[in-house]
C-alpha cells in the first residue's frame, strides 16, 4: 500500500524495527553496518565488520556482473545478514525455519520465508567471508525456483570470484577421476533432484563438487545464454527442459561432457518427484510426457487415490474424458472421501464438450458429495455444483452456487465464476474448453453479448 517513491524508506524503517527487536531479544549488545547493498548485524565485540562487508560487496558486484538483472529483481532494500555471537544462539534462531539448520555442519543459511535474509554462525574471518558470499548468492536467486544443483553451482563459483587466484577451484586429474568414479557407481538421481546436498556422508561432498564442475562446463560452452538458462530452469524437472530449450541439449548430454558416456538422465527417484515433474509437463501442455510420469508414479504407489486424481486431471486436460473418468472413479474407490476426485469427475460430467461424456444428474451427485466432504469451503467445488445444475437446466441454482463460488474465490478464478453466472442468466450451460465471455456492462446488453455455446 506504500507509494513506489516511498518504498525504499518504508523498507528501511521496517528493517530497523525488526533489527531493534532482535537486538533487544539478544541483550542489546549488537550493532549494524549498512553498505550499498548489504546490512550486516553483528555482536558489538566483532571487530571485522568493515572487512567482511567490503569483501561481500566486491563479491556481490561479481554476482551482479554475471547474472545481470536476475541478481537484483524483486529485492526489497538491502540484503540483511545476521552474524550471531555463538553457535547456540545461531541454532535457536535457525531451528524454527529448519530443525536441522543449527547443526554444527551449517556455517550459514539463506532464509526464503518472509523477508529474505541470511544467518551466519561465528567462524574465522576467512570462513565467514566465503560463507557470506555463498549465501548472498542464494539470496539473489531466491525468487527463482532453481534446481539445487544449479543454484549451488552458481553459489560456489560466486564464492570463489572474490578469492585470490591461488585459492580458487582447481581440478586436477586425480580429483576428476575420483568424481567420475563416484558418480558412475552411484548414478545422478540424488544429484539432479537435490537429495545429495543434504546427505551427511560423502554423497554431499561429491554433490557440491559436481555442481561446481557442471556449472563451469555450462559457463565455458554457453556463456552468452547462461542468464536465459538460469531464468528458465525449474526444479520441477531438474532444469532439463530449460537446457533443451536454451542449449539444444539435455542435462544428460551436459553431464556426459565431463563424466563421459553413461545413463545421466534426470530420472525421478520416487513417486512424489514423478508427480512433480508430471505437473511441470502438464503446465507445458506436454501431455504424453506428463501422463508417462503419472503412470510411473502409480506403478510405485498403486494404492494412492491422489495419484489417480492427478492422472485423471491430466487425461481431462488432454481431452481424454474416458481415461479421466476411469481414473477419478478409481481414486474414489480407493478413498471415498477424496473430494477432489468427486469434484473433478463431476466437472467433466457437467461440462464435457461432447454429449456422450455428460450426465447432469450424476454431476450433481458427485459435486454435492465433494461439497459435503470439504464442508462447502472450496470455491471450485461450489462452482462445479453450479455447472452441474446448469447442465440439468436449473439455472437458478446454477447462478446461486456459482455466485457463492465467486465470493470465496479471488482474482482470475472469481472473475471466471462471475462470467459463468452471466452465461447461466442466458439459460446456457458451460462447456469446456469454451472460455467464458466478457462480462456485459448491463442486463440490457446480456443477451447480445453472450453468444450461444
Amino acid at each position: 500500500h506504500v507509494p513506489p517513491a516511498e518504498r525504499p524508506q518504508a523498507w528501511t524503517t521496517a528493517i530497523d524495527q525488526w533489527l531493534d527487536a532482535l537486538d533487544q531479544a539478544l541483550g542489546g549488545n549488537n550493532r549494524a553496518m549498512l553498505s550499498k547493498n548489504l546490512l550486516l548485524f553483528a555482536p558489538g565485540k566483532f571487530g571485522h565488520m568493515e572487512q567482511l562487508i567490503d569483501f561481500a560487496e566486491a563479491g556481490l558486484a561479481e554476482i551482479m556482473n554475471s547474472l545481470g538483472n536476475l541478481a537484483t529483481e524483486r529485492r526489497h532494500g538491502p540484503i540483511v545478514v545476521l552474524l550471531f555471537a555463538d553457535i547456540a544462539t545461531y541454532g535457536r534462531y535457525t531451528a524454527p525455519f529448519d530443525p536441522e539448520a543449527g547443526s554444527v555442519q551449517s556455517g550459514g543459511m539463506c532464509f526464503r520465508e518472509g523477508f529474505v535474509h541470511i544467518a551466519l554462525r561465528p567462524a574465522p574471518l576467512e570462513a565467514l567471508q566465503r560463507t557470506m558470499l555463498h549465501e548472498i548468492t542464494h539470496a539473489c536467486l531466491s525468487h527463482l525456483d532453481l534446481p539445487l544443483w544449479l543454484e549451488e553451482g552458481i553459489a560456489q563459483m560466486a564464492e570463489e570470484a572474490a578469492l585470490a587466484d591461488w585459492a580458487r577451484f582447481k581440478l586436477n586429474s586425480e580429483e576428476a577421476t575420483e568424481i567420475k568414479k563416484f558418480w558412475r557407481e552411484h548414478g545422478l538421481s540424488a544429484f539432479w533432484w537435490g537429495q545429495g546436498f543434504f546427505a551427511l556422508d560423502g554423497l554431499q561432498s561429491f554433490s557440491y563438487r559436481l555442481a561446481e564442475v557442471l556449472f563451469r562446463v555450462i559457463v565455458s560452452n554457453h556463456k552468452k545464454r547462461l542468464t536465459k538458462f538460469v531464468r528458465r530452469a525449474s526444479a520441477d524437472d531438474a532444469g532439463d527442459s530449460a537446457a533443451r530449450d536454451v542449449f539444444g541439449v539435455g542435462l544428460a548430454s551436459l553431464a556426459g561432457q565431463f563424466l563421459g558416456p553413461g545413463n545421466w538422465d534426470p530420472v525421478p527417484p520416487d513417486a512424489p518427484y514423478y508427480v512433480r515433474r508430471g505437473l511441470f509437463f502438464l503446465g507445458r501442455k506436454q501431455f504424453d510426457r506428463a501422463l508417462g510420469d503419472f503412470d510411473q508414479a502409480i506403478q510405485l504407489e498403486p494404492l494412492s487415490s491422489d495419484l489417480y486424481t492427478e492422472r485423471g486431471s491430466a487425461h481431462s486436460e488432454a481431452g481424454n474424458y474416458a481415461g479421466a473418468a476411469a481414473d477419478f472413479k478409481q481414486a474414489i474407490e480407493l478413498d471415498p472421501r477424496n473430494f477432489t476426485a468427486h469434484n473433478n469427475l463431476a466437472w467433466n460430467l457437467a461440462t464435457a464438450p461432447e454429449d456422450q461424456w455428460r450426465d447432469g444428474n450424476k454431476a450433481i451427485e458427485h459435486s454435492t458429495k465433494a461439497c459435503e466432504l470439504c464442508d462447502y469451503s472450496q470455491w471450485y467445488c461450489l462452482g462445479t455444483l453450479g455447472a452441474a445444475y446448469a447442465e440439468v437446466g436449473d439455472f437458478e441454482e446454477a447462478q446461486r452456487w456459482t455466485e457463492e463460488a465467486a465470493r470465496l474465490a479471488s482474482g482470475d478464478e472469481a472473475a471466471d465464476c462471475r462470467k459463468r453466472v452471466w452465461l447461466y442468466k442466458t439459460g446456457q450451460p458451460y462447456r469446456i474448453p469454451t472460455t467464458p465471455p466478457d462480462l456485459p456492462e448491463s442486463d440490457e446488453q446480456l443477451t447480445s453479448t453472450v453468444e450461444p455455446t
Side-chain angles (χ1 to χ4, degrees):
H1 301 291
V2 177
E6 300 175 18
R7 286 177 191 167
Q9 182 57 49
W11 280 112
T12 299
T13 301
I15 292 169
D16 287 344
Q17 293 174 351
W18 166 34
L19 295 185
D20 283 344
L22 181 58
D23 182 44
Q24 293 177 30
L26 295 173
N29 299 314
N30 298 275
R31 61 192 179 103
M33 178 175 288
L34 179 65
S35 63
K36 181 180 179 181
N37 296 289
L38 303 166
L39 195 160
L40 176 60
F41 175 91
K45 62 183 180 181
F46 180 70
H48 303 290
M49 291 191 74
E50 289 189 11
Q51 294 137 290
L52 184 57
I53 207 166
D54 287 348
F55 179 89
E57 280 284 2
L60 183 56
E62 293 285 345
I63 295 169
M64 292 190 288
N65 182 54
S66 299
L67 300 178
N69 293 335
L70 272 180
T72 56
E73 63 187 17
R74 302 191 195 179
R75 199 173 82 204
H76 305 296
I79 298 174
V80 174
V81 182
L82 310 177
L83 173 60
F84 291 94
D86 53 70
I87 294 176
T89 307
Y90 170 78
R92 288 202 306 275
Y93 184 83
T94 57
F97 296 92
D98 183 348
E100 298 180 1
S103 68
V104 180
Q105 304 290 330
S106 171
M109 286 196 68
C110 174
F111 299 104
R112 300 169 186 254
E113 296 89 346
F115 188 90
V116 176
H117 65 289
I118 294 163
L120 302 175
R121 72 183 181 96
L125 179 59
E126 183 178 344
L128 281 175
Q129 289 174 327
R130 296 193 64 160
T131 302
M132 184 171 172
L133 196 52
H134 186 103
E135 300 304 333
I136 284 173
T137 308
H138 286 304
C140 290
L141 298 170
S142 61
H143 60 290
L144 302 170
D145 182 30
L146 295 180
L148 194 53
W149 70 267
L150 176 58
E151 187 164 328
E152 291 296 351
I154 296 171
Q156 289 182 97
M157 198 162 182
E159 179 183 335
E160 294 192 348
L163 298 178
D165 287 342
W166 63 267
R168 295 186 181 182
F169 175 84
K170 294 180 178 64
L171 187 68
N172 58 44
S173 59
E174 184 178 337
E175 290 174 321
T177 299
E178 183 184 24
I179 295 172
K180 292 175 183 179
K181 181 177 183 294
F182 178 88
W183 291 112
R184 285 169 183 163
E185 292 176 353
H186 293 82
L188 289 184
S189 179
F191 174 78
W192 291 135
W193 300 98
Q195 302 99 318
F197 295 93
F198 299 101
L200 297 178
D201 53 21
L203 178 59
Q204 184 183 64
S205 173
F206 279 102
S207 294
Y208 277 101
R209 292 163 74 182
L210 183 59
E212 185 161 13
V213 170
L214 289 191
F215 186 68
R216 288 174 182 273
V217 168
I218 293 172
V219 172
S220 298
N221 298 332
H222 307 284
K223 188 172 184 178
K224 291 183 178 179
R225 288 172 285 179
L226 174 62
T227 302
K228 186 177 182 180
F229 169 65
V230 173
R231 187 179 292 280
R232 290 193 182 185
S234 170
D236 291 336
D237 75 333
D240 189 51
S241 294
R244 295 176 185 275
D245 293 344
V246 178
F247 303 144
V249 295
L251 294 182
S253 178
L254 290 173
Q257 292 177 38
F258 171 70
L259 296 174
N263 184 13
W264 310 126
D265 285 316
V267 179
D270 54 30
Y273 278 93
Y274 271 110
V275 172
R276 183 176 181 178
R277 194 174 70 172
L279 292 172
F280 173 81
F281 290 142
L282 190 60
R284 293 165 65 96
K285 305 299 182 185
Q286 297 177 2
F287 298 119
D288 288 344
R289 299 182 74 181
L291 288 165
D293 276 351
F294 292 133
D295 290 346
Q296 290 292 328
I298 288 173
Q299 285 186 24
L300 293 170
E301 295 186 16
L303 300 181
S304 171
S305 174
D306 290 338
L307 293 184
Y308 280 98
T309 304
E310 295 286 8
R311 192 174 69 178
S313 297
H315 277 304
S316 182
E317 284 201 41
N320 178 10
Y321 299 106
D327 275 347
F328 292 143
K329 290 174 182 178
Q330 181 63 30
I332 293 168
E333 183 176 333
L334 289 169
D335 179 9
R337 299 188 61 79
N338 184 338
F339 68 84
T340 303
H342 281 286
N343 175 77
N344 293 1
L345 177 59
W347 179 256
N348 285 353
L349 289 169
T351 66
E354 298 176 2
D355 293 346
Q356 62 178 318
W357 307 121
R358 293 197 311 276
D359 186 325
N361 291 321
K362 287 186 178 179
I364 292 174
E365 176 187 339
H366 283 284
S367 58
T368 300
K369 185 66 174 180
C371 290
E372 291 172 349
L373 289 170
C374 74
D375 198 24
Y376 292 82
S377 64
Q378 303 299 319
W379 70 268
Y380 53 88
C381 292
L382 303 182
T384 299
L385 184 56
Y389 276 112
E391 172 60 19
V392 299
D394 190 342
F395 293 103
E396 183 175 339
E397 283 293 282
Q399 292 175 52
R400 181 169 78 89
W401 287 111
T402 310
E403 286 170 349
E404 183 65 16
R407 188 183 66 81
L408 293 179
S410 60
D412 292 341
E413 289 84 3
D416 285 343
C417 289
R418 289 192 292 270
K419 290 176 182 178
R420 291 203 298 274
V421 170
W422 283 108
L423 190 65
Y424 301 152
K425 285 185 177 181
T426 68
Q428 299 177 83
Y430 176 71
R431 296 283 180 265
I432 52 176
T434 304
T435 301
D438 291 332
L439 289 173
E441 295 181 2
S442 65
D443 287 340
E444 288 74 19
Q445 297 176 0
L446 182 60
T447 56
S448 62
T449 58
V450 181
E451 296 295 329
T453 306

